[in-house]
Amino acid sequence: MRSLIALALIPLVAACASGPSYTVPSSRPAATAPVPPQEPAIQPQTGFRAPRIMDAPGLDGVIGTDASGLVRQFGTPRLDVWEGDARKLQFSGNACVLDIFLYPTAPGRGETATWVEARRGTDGRDVDRAACVAALRRR
């Protein structure tokens, strides 16, 4: 019987011994050295930088075209996203999803298509850009 009582008290004693520790806050704040400002990991770009312009067969009428010309060719974009002076238009159909990236090619100029990416809508695998452009023009 004594051993049963001793065994029953073990968890209670263990709970008392391993309770959380508390610290009493001091009435004075701890002295800390000022933290110097850190440089951002990515420096913002200053000045104009010309974009890379894709040169691939089958993209005639896309590369170098402004947003209104692309809408005339492909209809209303599924997405129209701005990021700074860059713009992405996304067009989609049964055959593929087409992302067209527009950037200004010179200071003070409007954005024109400079790069194109194409993929299947079902699994995201890359497809031929020119074939996607042709398929979306036919719809």
Side-chain angles (χ1 to χ4, degrees), residues 22-40:
Y22 296 99
T23 55
V24 178
S26 156
S27 59
R28 267 186 352 198
T32 59
V35 177
Q38 295 182 346
E39 293 293 320

Side-chain angles (χ1 to χ4, degrees), residues 35-46:
V35 177
Q38 295 182 346
E39 293 293 320
I42 298 175
Q43 295 294 324
Q45 180 181 334
T46 56

Side-chain angles (χ1 to χ4, degrees), residues 40-89:
I42 298 175
Q43 295 294 324
Q45 180 181 334
T46 56
F48 178 80
R49 183 173 162 207
R52 183 173 166 201
I53 299 175
M54 179 179 269
D55 182 22
L59 299 180
D60 309 340
V62 175
I63 300 298
T65 304
D66 65 6
S68 62
L70 295 169
V71 169
R72 281 192 298 275
Q73 289 182 60
F74 303 110
T76 303
R78 180 174 152 188
L79 289 175
D80 186 346
V81 180
W82 284 91
E83 187 175 313
D85 63 351
R87 186 176 186 181
K88 177 177 107 169
L89 297 178

